[in-house]
Amino acid sequence: MGNLNKVNVVRRGLMRVLTKNIGASNASKSGTIDKSKIKKVLICRPNGRLGNLLLITPLIQEVTNTFPGCTIDVFVKGTLAPIVFEKYENVDKIIDLPKKPFKELIRYLKVWTLIRKQNYDLVVNVDQNSSSGRLAVQFSTAKYKFFGDLPENVNLNFDDYDHIAKYPVYNFRYFLSQFGIEDHKKPVELIDLKLTKDEINKGKNILDGIIDNQKKTIAIFTFATGAKCFSVEWWEEFYSALKKEYPDYNIFEVLPVENVSQINFQAPSFYSKDVREIGSVLANVDVFVGADSGIMHLSSASKTSTVGLFSISNLKKYEPYGNNSVGIDTNTLGIPDYIKAINKILNA
């Protein structure tokens, strides 16, 4: 680990200690909220990864449904947010924190100044463990501030509460219920890239140039970051099983930005750096199969039936949901189980 990385690890640890009690007393406040007065909202998720940005779209939809006509700013990192939220009409400003604050100190300070100056009615932190998110809520001048956590004596009993796209919504609903806004217990919205018909049609045209459009199509994504990435040997065995099980199907590979393949480019493939273009192509396949990754969440956000393969990450926290999607624990299940899950989707 380099010296800069070591500094960042220490910095993050120190920030967590310093910010863990911020907002603790705020969680127990009560009163009433006039929904018609909530016009400007800030949602804080200072993270730049594709998957994490897509996973806050259910909360954005929740806020929009609760406060119709409001505008939403999002506090994030990186450059992907304008692409992910492009079709969310009520998302206004993207406030992006620089990835390396020590190297862009002036820009870093400007972000906090901007948050302070905006007259937000409500500020919401998505991840209770995010130091920057909690600080942004505290630093704002909003009347209503939600830091992302619940009072210690509250336990919300939902079967799917552990999911990272869902518990922020459940926690937010509880927070609002303390201010007189009823929780209607509706299912949490799906993660959604909000692809347009034109985008989906363009994706179909791209896909038709790769596969036989008279056959059903299975998309695979063989890459993932770090330990989440399955080995070449693992994928070659699984790919051979797929070809044997589905001889009359198209099987094609979506390539990562690194342009690598764990099956050595044996299948027809598609490469793009355009997130929405990748999503538009995936929107036209019958099933997507891949390890836990941003592209797996992108498939889910494109409303495609998604089979997520989990070996390291927490399945209950990150598994795809909706559209007949399923997460599979590869530590306890094998290839016959993966085939069974795919068949269930294809026959649905």
Side-chain angles (χ1 to χ4, degrees):
M1 182 184 292
N3 289 333
L4 184 58
N5 285 336
K6 289 179 181 178
V7 169
N8 284 331
V9 169
V10 172
R11 177 182 60 81
R12 285 192 290 266
L14 179 61
M15 288 295 288
R16 289 191 186 99
V17 171
L18 293 175
T19 61
K20 66 179 181 179
N21 292 320
I22 288 179
S25 62
N26 182 275
S28 61
K29 290 183 179 179
S30 60
T32 58
I33 292 179
D34 182 348
K35 292 202 293 185
S36 67
K37 298 292 180 63
I38 304 299
K39 299 296 186 182
K40 195 168 186 178
V41 179
L42 176 67
I43 294 179
C44 304
R45 184 63 166 112
N47 188 289
R49 292 176 181 156
L50 174 60
N52 286 329
L53 293 175
L54 290 167
L55 287 162
I56 67 171
T57 57
L59 179 61
I60 290 176
Q61 294 172 78
E62 181 76 18
V63 171
T64 303
N65 294 336
T66 305
F67 305 109
C70 74
T71 60
I72 298 174
D73 293 352
V74 288
F75 172 44
V76 294
K77 278 186 179 180
T79 59
L80 287 176
I83 299 167
V84 170
F85 307 126
E86 179 181 325
K87 302 303 179 182
Y88 280 81
E89 294 182 355
N90 61 322
V91 171
D92 186 16
K93 295 185 183 67
I94 306 293
I95 303 173
D96 59 311
L97 200 64
K99 289 183 178 181
K100 298 178 180 179
F102 292 139
K103 290 187 175 181
E104 300 179 79
L105 189 58
I106 293 176
R107 184 174 162 223
Y108 179 80
L109 294 173
K110 282 183 177 179
V111 166
W112 297 102
T113 302
L114 179 61
I115 290 174
R116 183 73 177 178
K117 286 183 176 179
Q118 299 298 308
N119 295 317
Y120 293 115
D121 302 303
L122 169 67
V123 179
V124 179
N125 179 40
V126 177
D127 180 6
Q128 64 186 36
N129 296 312
S130 169
S131 302
S132 297
R134 297 180 75 86
L135 279 173
V137 176
Q138 181 72 7
F139 202 60
S140 75
T141 59
K143 181 178 181 180
Y144 301 105
K145 301 181 179 184
F146 178 52
F147 291 84
D149 45 8
L150 299 170
E152 289 185 3
N153 62 331
V154 174
N155 182 26
L156 301 183
N157 294 313
F158 296 96
D159 292 340
D160 54 358
Y161 181 80
D162 291 337
H163 201 284
I164 193 171
K166 297 183 178 183
Y167 70 72
V169 174
Y170 291 135
N171 289 357
F172 180 63
R173 288 176 179 176
Y174 177 83
F175 169 77
L176 293 181
S177 72
Q178 305 308 293
F179 293 87
I181 296 179
E182 183 182 358
D183 179 357
H184 293 288
K185 310 293 184 182
K186 294 179 180 178
V188 175
E189 298 284 355
L190 303 182
I191 68 172
D192 194 354
L193 188 61
K194 287 192 178 290
L195 291 167
T196 65
K197 289 183 178 179
D198 284 344
E199 287 178 310
I200 294 171
N201 288 336
K202 289 179 182 177
K204 185 179 188 307
N205 290 334
I206 293 172
L207 185 61
D208 286 348
I210 301 171
I211 51 88
D212 181 351
N213 62 13
Q214 300 302 309
K215 297 179 180 179
K216 287 189 175 183
T217 301
I218 299 171
I220 60 174
F221 183 72
T222 67
F223 192 71
T225 56
K228 294 187 291 184
C229 188
F230 292 92
S231 68
V232 169
E233 294 76 17
W234 189 97
W235 267 110
E236 286 184 342
E237 182 182 4
F238 184 31
Y239 179 57
S240 295
L242 286 173
K243 289 192 295 182
K244 182 178 180 181
E245 182 71 22
Y246 305 106
D248 298 322
Y249 284 66
N250 299 304
I251 301 174
F252 88 103
E253 182 178 11
V254 179
L255 299 172
V257 68
E258 294 84 355
N259 199 21
V260 296
S261 168
Q262 297 295 86
I263 59 171
N264 197 28
F265 301 95
Q266 294 179 61
S269 60
F270 166 68
Y271 178 83
S272 176
K273 293 183 179 180
D274 186 328
V275 167
R276 299 193 71 85
E277 183 176 70
I278 299 169
S280 72
V281 170
L282 292 176
N284 288 281
V285 307
D286 295 284
V287 61
F288 168 94
V289 184
D292 174 31
S293 65
I295 298 297
M296 181 200 76
H297 293 301
L298 181 62
S299 170
S300 186
S302 302
K303 304 300 179 69
T304 297
S305 298
T306 300
V307 177
L309 305 170
F310 289 77
S311 60
I312 298 294
S313 22
N314 186 325
L315 188 151
K316 287 187 176 181
K317 187 174 183 178
Y318 293 106
E319 68 180 330
Y321 68 96
N323 304 301
N324 297 312
S325 297
V326 63
I328 292 177
D329 183 350
T330 61
N331 296 304
T332 59
L333 300 174
I335 288 177
D337 301 295
Y338 316 157
I339 298 295
K340 183 178 179 181
I342 294 170
N343 284 336
K344 186 176 180 180
I345 290 172
L346 292 172
N347 295 326

